[in-house]
Amino acid sequence: MTHVSIKELTKVYPGATEPSLDRLSLEIPTGELTALLGPSGCGKTTTMKMIAGLLEPTSGDVTFDGRSVLKDKPEDRGVVMVFQNYLLFPYMSVADNVGFGLKMRKVDPVEIKRRVGEMLELVKLPDLGDRKPSALSGGQQQRVALARALIVQPNVLLLDEPLSNLDAHLRFEMRDLIRSLQQEMGITTIFVTHDQEEAVVLADRVALILDGRMKQYDLPDAFYKRPVDEATARFFGGHNFVPGTSDGCRFDSPLGKLTLPEGAATGQGKLTFRPENVRIAPEAAGQNTLNAVIADIIYLGTQTRLKLRVGETEVDAIMNPNEVETFSVGDTLPIYLPISTLWVIR
Amino acid sequence: MTTKETLGIRSFRVLTGAVLITWLILPLVPLAIWSFAKGWFYPDLLPRNWSLRAWEYAMSDTSGVLASLWLTIWISLVATFLSVLVGVPAGRALGMYKFRGKEIVELLILAPTIVPGIAVVLGIHSIFISLGLTNSVEGVILVHLIPTLPYMVLVMSGIFANYDPAFEAQARSLGASPLKTFWYVTLPAIRPGIIVGGLFAFLVSWSQYILTLLIGGGRVETLPLLLFNFATSGRNDITGAIGMIYILPGIIILLLTAKHLSGRSGAVGGFGQI
Amino acid sequence: MSDRMKIFLLLAPAMFIIVVLFFGGLLTGLMRSFNYMPVIGLTDPDLSAYVSVFTDREFYLSFLLTFHIAFTSTVISSILAIGAALLLRRSFVGRGIVNFLFQINLTVPHLVGAIGILYLFSQSGSFARLAAEFNMIQSPSDFPALVFDPYAIGIILQYVWKEVPFIGVIVLANMQSVGEDYESVARSLGASKWQTFRHVLLPLIFPGVLSASVMVFAFTFGAYEIPAILGANFPAALPVLAYRKYTDVDLAARPEAMAMAIVIALLSAVMIYFYLRYSRRRIRG
């Protein structure tokens, strides 16, 4: 279908000194579901609008299957954008909303009616065609917006924070719906979100944008296992960063000499490991075992967060509540950092 | 949407914008020129001789223009003051409470904003004759309340709809008397509404013609009446000078408030009565 | 104090003024139009004023002319106001000044505008002089009659001048509160610029346009001083005719004036109905 390629895309709004988006490059393979992830104001929605042709880039290029689309009008690009607040036309019925794109293409009304019916089946709202959007719940409005976008069979689908306005229980339902429709129709899909959970749950690949620049473009789990830098790791909930030196096999730091997995970076850097990967050391302690003092215990219901001290270094750990029931603040706790969970940031 | 536009579309935009703005200013131009003209005869595009004669006349004690100006200011100020006094409580009731018959009250208040003055003033004239209010400044002020009061109420009900009375409760619980609560809590919160509504009320009263003409019976000669008389008697230079004086308050008010007069405010309808 | 009592006391002064003055005036006018005025000994209501009004050719001509003025002015002003709002909604250099100039005549009374139009468009006015300058006319009488004319062109010009910014400001605020995202959605769903305007922006701002137009229609139907300055003597606009009848030396003409006032009031009642219908819809969106 459509391979989307973004090259050095930059947007400086008139009157602004800093670019809202700074030379973003991205390859989105045909049919993939890609997340643009970043805090609000990082240039995600700006990027989407430039792909959709609703905003003119300051420089850079957007190509579909190798052809630049910057000169194409928004209605000719085959890109449909679904906004965060759905923006269903309030004066039209649900069916008229869904059929809007076909009506604009002057499709025969009988045909429109048929396809609207099919589409409403697909998003599981078969009986609501005559309602006004204001009579629908948020989740239903979201489906109608999705149906309205998919009915025109776009080459590229853009979703703005597709799950963020939904209740927790609706999120997974909507995630499944979006994924199944997207896979079935094979539409190259890009969505933006500020919520890392939303990104990893929904996307094939995630592009993290911080301060208008792309930090990392990778598979979802890579952001937890192999973050490119501290900011990226922190965005994904990373807490432990220990400065030191790596020789590729061992990491020399205030925590002592720790064994690294194969292929670790060398030189000055920071060792990072996720709080949930910190374990209590088994009886037969081996390498990467440390003695920590418990500074604080925070009970979170399904898990317990521990603030630990190893010498002068603070270490965050998340454990199963049952494991740490018997410990209290001030106790010494032997901990173990599994080799495969360590990662060195240069 | 910031998308590309061609040079052609852009110049079309600029050109139509320029024509529009010119058209909106244009009718004021001959009035301004006339006020400085000493005879301006067909087919001269501009007066051959310029003079301050019309302005000197308008500013002299004998012409009555200044007396009329003070009278008009006085009538508009009193009408505004009364509108504020009566309109603020009514706005509070409509903005903060839901009650049975509210729609009817709103309709009664809305009606005078749409029904033209001529439709009611003839009947009012009959009433005022029996009350001895015709040909008097008091009668004119009273009849000006018909167009001014509804806008005051509309503006204030908008303000009170976004006003949280919990602030007043908080002040009372901190020991403020009702009067102090009003002065230190309520008034500062609603002051912008009073200012905007009051300026509208002033301008609406300022521009009344037919109500003043009938109820004042020609004896209460406000500026618009004077202006009308000079315009229909062919004294274009004096008409020009009075016209310039007459539009001054409105333009000053616009200069001061242009940023606050968003069309979303219920008050903008008041412009329809000016 | 109960809430009901509080509401009553808060509303009482305003309601008193509006009911006594406005509705009292309306009712008195209605009674007098039926020749019913017990205070001065008229106790037998009749329809004679309406009969003489509705059998008078001048009334019909006057009514048609007034309707023509109000309708034409409202339609032209609304269309131009939408165009102006489309121009002004974009951001551009000097927008503040242009906005100020756009709003400047909002505070200029209609009467001043009417005099300005008179000086511009009369047969010895500025445009006639300009035409003479370019030898397009030989004498003032060659210039087309645009004021005191049977088609009320001058009156309509004045209203268009005054009401375009009025409706424009309301429409502009409407557009701003609607935002541009609905249009973005429509464009990305494949609507052209024109389709987006026609199927998305226009329906969204229509209620606002309509309620502003209703106010303009009612005002232009009932205004006195503008047709008095710019209108022909015969037929005169309805408010002018009513005023003439009312101030006629023959006091017997007063009930006829009242009957005309009631006609104007009835027409504005219809306008209020439309206004409520659409402004409510706008609120409930």
Side-chain angles (χ1 to χ4, degrees):
Chain A
M1 302 260 308
T2 305
H3 177 101
V4 178
S5 149
I6 296 168
K7 288 168 190 145
E8 303 264 300
L9 200 62
T10 301
K11 179 69 187 178
V12 187
Y13 282 100
T17 46
E18 295 280 305
S20 298
L21 189 70
D22 193 6
R23 287 165 294 163
L24 177 78
S25 295
L26 213 54
E27 296 289 329
I28 299 151
T30 298
E32 264 199 21
L33 183 50
T34 296
L36 297 185
L37 172 67
S40 42
C42 77
K44 294 166 301 185
T45 306
T46 301
T47 309
M48 291 239 283
K49 286 192 168 176
M50 289 192 288
I51 298 171
L54 302 168
L55 197 64
E56 205 181 335
T58 310
S59 63
D61 200 359
V62 177
T63 65
F64 293 173
D65 294 330
R67 193 183 68 84
S68 172
V69 293
L70 285 187
K71 293 231 156 47
D72 293 358
K73 290 188 208 150
E75 65 266 32
D76 300 331
R77 288 195 186 186
V79 177
V80 177
M81 182 161 168
V82 178
F83 284 69
Q84 183 181 5
N85 40 359
Y86 321 136
L87 294 173
L88 300 178
F89 303 125
Y91 49 90
M92 286 183 195
S93 69
V94 165
D96 287 344
N97 262 289
V98 175
F100 181 85
L102 298 181
K103 188 178 170 189
M104 295 303 107
R105 289 169 175 74
K106 302 200 168 64
V107 174
D108 176 58
V110 181
E111 168 77 1
I112 293 181
K113 195 159 183 262
R114 189 181 65 74
R115 282 172 61 185
V116 167
E118 282 178 10
M119 210 62 229
L120 285 174
E121 292 276 348
L122 217 54
V123 296
K124 304 190 181 83
L125 294 172
D127 305 318
L128 298 183
D130 295 332
R131 300 258 188 103
K132 281 278 161 70
S134 53
L136 303 185
S137 71
Q140 290 171 328
Q141 292 191 26
Q142 167 85 302
R143 287 151 191 254
V144 174
L146 200 59
R148 180 174 68 176
L150 293 175
I151 202 168
V152 300
Q153 297 171 331
N155 300 325
V156 179
L157 180 65
L158 304 174
L159 306 169
D160 192 357
E161 309 260 354
L163 306 180
S164 66
N165 281 357
L166 300 175
D167 296 338
H169 68 281
L170 277 175
R171 291 183 130 208
F172 281 98
E173 213 176 295
M174 185 58 65
R175 177 222 174 253
D176 293 345
L177 182 69
I178 293 175
R179 270 210 78 100
S180 67
L181 288 176
Q182 187 266 338
Q183 306 269 296
E184 198 174 308
M185 300 174 127
I187 302 169
T188 310
T189 303
I190 305 166
F191 74 97
V192 305
T193 177
H194 65 275
D195 178 353
Q196 32 108 357
E197 191 189 315
E198 185 172 334
V200 296
V201 149
L202 193 54
D204 295 324
R205 272 168 188 278
V206 176
L208 177 69
I209 303 173
L210 294 175
D211 303 323
R213 303 217 55 179
M214 188 159 77
K215 287 288 187 188
Q216 189 168 353
Y217 181 41
D218 222 327
L219 299 174
D221 64 341
F223 291 87
Y224 296 89
K225 293 180 182 158
R226 303 181 294 275
V228 289
D229 61 8
E230 187 175 332
T232 303
R234 282 192 186 279
F235 195 85
F236 277 82
H239 274 276
N240 299 317
F241 303 96
V242 185
T245 323
S246 160
D247 62 7
C249 301
R250 288 167 78 78
F251 192 79
D252 195 0
S253 76
L255 296 180
K257 287 205 173 221
L258 296 167
T259 308
L260 292 171
E262 253 177 74
T266 54
Q268 289 272 323
K270 278 179 183 163
L271 182 75
T272 183
F273 46 92
R274 295 198 60 85
E276 57 270 24
N277 289 334
V278 178
R279 305 275 160 78
I280 297 176
E283 298 290 326
Q287 50 188 358
N288 292 2
T289 304
L290 307 163
N291 271 334
V293 178
I294 300 176
D296 199 2
I297 300 177
I298 305 152
Y299 179 64
L300 299 172
T302 56
Q303 46 184 225
T304 296
R305 185 159 214 130
L306 297 179
K307 291 206 176 291
L308 306 171
R309 275 180 186 286
V310 180
E312 290 300 297
T313 310
E314 281 190 19
V315 172
D316 256 38
I318 291 175
M319 309 250 173
N320 185 326
N322 301 327
E323 285 180 295
V324 289
E325 245 173 1
T326 54
F327 293 96
S328 51
V329 173
D331 288 356
T332 302
L333 183 69
I335 56 167
Y336 161 62
L337 304 174
I339 296 172
S340 65
T341 67
L342 299 184
W343 176 251
V344 177
I345 297 168
R346 291 280 311 268
Chain B
M1 255 181 289
T2 323
T3 42
K4 247 165 276 190
E5 55 179 16
T6 63
L7 193 66
I9 292 176
R10 199 181 149 75
S11 32
F12 173 77
R13 232 173 242 292
V14 172
L15 197 70
T16 43
V19 168
L20 173 74
I21 297 299
T22 310
W23 164 243
L24 293 179
I25 306 295
L26 201 60
L28 300 177
V29 175
L31 269 144
I33 296 177
W34 262 115
S35 74
F36 295 106
K38 187 178 177 188
W40 183 15
F41 302 105
Y42 183 89
D44 298 342
L45 280 177
L46 283 173
R48 293 199 182 170
N49 302 302
W50 300 85
S51 113
L52 287 172
R53 209 177 46 177
W55 286 97
E56 278 161 13
Y57 175 81
M59 295 300 168
S60 71
D61 290 333
T62 47
S63 68
V65 174
L66 286 179
S68 170
L69 175 67
W70 305 134
L71 177 69
T72 317
I73 291 175
W74 170 248
I75 289 175
S76 298
L77 280 180
V78 178
T80 303
F81 176 75
L82 292 176
S83 300
V84 171
L85 209 61
V86 174
V88 170
R92 183 173 176 113
L94 287 175
M96 278 175 41
Y97 298 95
K98 281 200 167 129
F99 52 90
R100 223 158 46 127
K102 186 175 175 181
E103 296 210 329
I104 295 181
V105 171
E106 284 173 337
L107 182 68
L108 294 183
I109 288 171
L110 190 72
T113 68
I114 296 184
V115 176
I118 187 87
V120 290
V121 72
L122 303 183
I124 294 172
H125 189 242
S126 293
I127 304 176
F128 276 18
I129 290 176
S130 48
L131 296 175
L133 281 168
T134 49
N135 306 346
S136 75
V137 173
E138 295 78 19
V140 169
I141 290 172
L142 271 180
V143 80
H144 277 200
L145 290 180
I146 293 177
T148 58
L149 181 55
Y151 286 107
M152 199 67 218
V153 178
L154 288 178
V155 173
M156 291 320 296
S157 78
I159 294 283
F160 276 112
N162 296 318
Y163 171 77
D164 187 352
F167 286 114
E168 287 171 17
Q170 177 72 77
R172 293 297 298 279
S173 83
L174 292 171
S177 67
L179 203 67
K180 285 200 162 156
T181 303
F182 177 79
W183 188 255
Y184 288 110
V185 177
T186 316
L187 197 60
I190 64 173
R191 192 180 290 134
I194 293 181
I195 292 172
V196 169
L199 291 174
F200 268 101
F202 183 89
L203 284 177
V204 168
S205 163
W206 183 259
S207 67
Q208 289 309 313
Y209 181 80
I210 190 69
L211 300 184
T212 316
L213 177 66
L214 256 158
I215 300 301
R219 309 268 172 80
V220 182
E221 201 167 41
T222 55
L223 222 43
L225 268 65
L226 203 65
L227 183 64
F228 189 98
N229 291 343
F230 276 108
T232 47
S233 63
R235 289 301 305 272
N236 295 5
D237 51 346
I238 296 166
T239 308
I242 300 175
M244 291 296 107
I245 296 170
Y246 187 41
I247 64 174
L248 204 59
I251 291 182
I252 291 171
I253 288 174
L254 188 69
L255 267 175
L256 295 177
T257 59
K259 287 207 174 93
H260 307 284
L261 293 177
S262 102
R264 258 161 283 185
S265 150
V268 174
F271 281 132
Q273 305 292 317
I274 294 168
Chain C
M1 195 170 12
S2 74
D3 265 5
R4 287 182 62 145
M5 192 62 195
K6 219 185 261 176
I7 293 165
F8 176 80
L9 288 178
L10 288 170
L11 282 172
M15 294 317 290
F16 178 79
I17 289 176
I18 286 174
V19 168
V20 169
L21 281 178
F22 181 79
F23 289 95
L26 211 54
L27 193 68
T28 312
L30 191 67
M31 280 165 29
R32 291 219 63 185
S33 73
F34 288 115
N35 272 311
Y36 180 75
M37 202 73 190
V39 193
I40 53 168
L42 293 170
T43 50
D44 295 319
D46 63 45
L47 289 171
S48 61
Y50 288 93
V51 170
S52 65
V53 164
F54 285 117
T55 51
D56 184 2
R57 187 170 156 269
E58 186 178 10
F59 169 78
Y60 287 104
L61 291 176
S62 177
F63 184 90
L64 283 178
L65 176 78
T66 316
F67 194 89
H68 154 72
I69 292 172
F71 185 80
T72 315
S73 310
T74 307
V75 170
I76 296 178
S77 306
S78 303
I79 294 171
L80 292 182
I82 294 171
L86 286 174
L87 274 181
L88 294 177
R89 74 192 294 219
R90 311 187 136 232
S91 54
F92 51 87
V93 187
R95 186 180 180 180
I97 289 178
V98 170
N99 264 334
F100 175 75
L101 292 175
F102 182 67
Q103 295 177 2
I104 201 165
N105 82 6
L106 286 176
T107 66
V108 174
H110 276 85
L111 176 59
V112 177
I115 299 169
I117 294 287
L118 180 68
Y119 291 172
L120 281 179
F121 290 98
S122 76
Q123 287 179 319
S124 60
S126 306
F127 280 108
R129 294 169 191 220
L130 215 56
E133 186 76 15
F134 290 100
N135 289 322
M136 292 156 74
I137 60 170
Q138 300 308 312
S139 71
S141 59
D142 295 341
F143 192 74
L146 298 176
V147 295
F148 317 132
D149 61 307
Y151 305 107
I153 294 172
I155 300 173
I156 293 169
L157 281 172
Q158 197 281 334
Y159 285 136
V160 169
W161 173 73
K162 182 79 173 126
E163 309 299 357
V164 164
F166 173 63
I167 305 176
V169 165
I170 291 175
V171 172
L172 202 56
N174 247 266
M175 285 180 182
Q176 268 149 11
S177 66
V178 164
E180 293 180 343
D181 285 349
Y182 279 110
E183 291 160 84
S184 297
V185 169
R187 289 303 293 281
S188 95
L189 287 168
S192 66
K193 272 188 177 173
W194 165 250
Q195 283 176 319
T196 304
F197 172 73
R198 164 76 189 75
H199 293 286
V200 176
L201 186 60
L202 204 55
L204 284 169
I205 62 168
F206 187 71
V209 174
L210 200 75
S211 52
S213 307
V214 162
M215 293 188 73
V216 167
F217 186 92
F219 184 91
T220 50
F221 198 88
Y224 169 83
E225 63 268 35
I226 300 96
I229 292 261
L230 292 169
N233 243 325
F234 183 93
L238 204 49
V240 176
L241 191 63
Y243 178 78
R244 270 193 216 148
K245 291 268 187 204
Y246 191 78
T247 51
D248 200 305
V249 282
D250 178 10
L251 289 182
R254 283 199 172 183
E256 289 180 36
M258 299 291 192
M260 292 178 191
I262 294 305
V263 169
I264 296 174
L266 280 177
L267 201 94
S268 32
V270 175
M271 292 293 122
I272 291 176
Y273 171 76
F274 279 114
Y275 181 87
L276 284 181
R277 230 184 111 165
Y278 283 95
S279 63
R280 286 276 156 74
R281 189 174 295 177
R282 176 169 56 160
I283 293 162
R284 291 182 188 151

